[in-house]
Amino acid sequence: MNTKEKKSIKGCTTYEEILEKEYGPKGTPERDQFDRDAEAFILAERLKEERRKAGLTQALLTEKIETKKSYIL
C-alpha cells in the first residue's frame, strides 16, 4: 500500500467513523463516556511522563505532595 492509500478498518476510513461505529455519535451516553475516559487516560499518561522526566519515583512524589501512593501514576 502506498502512502496515498487509506487503510480501512471495518469499512471506516476516518478516526471519527471508527468512533461512531464503536461508541456511537457524539452526544450519546456511550460516546460521552468514551470521550471522558480517553481524556482521563491522556492526562494520566502526561502526568506520568512529567513525573518520570523530573526523576521522581511514585514514592518520592507522594512524599513531596503529602498524599497516598494510590493517587500517583
Side-chain angles (χ1 to χ4, degrees), residues 4-48:
K4 292 182 181 180
E5 293 178 61
K6 290 185 178 180
K7 185 176 180 182
S8 178
I9 299 173
K10 297 181 186 177
C12 301
T13 57
T14 67
Y15 185 63
E16 185 61 34
E17 288 176 349
I18 294 169
L19 290 178
E20 283 189 13
K21 191 165 193 167
E22 295 292 319
Y23 302 101
K26 288 185 179 189
T28 61
E30 295 83 7
R31 177 63 180 273
D32 289 346
Q33 184 62 51
F34 172 82
D35 289 342
R36 283 191 299 273
D37 292 346
E39 287 178 25
F41 176 79
I42 291 167
L43 177 58
E45 289 300 308
R46 285 182 183 162
L47 290 170
K48 183 174 17 176

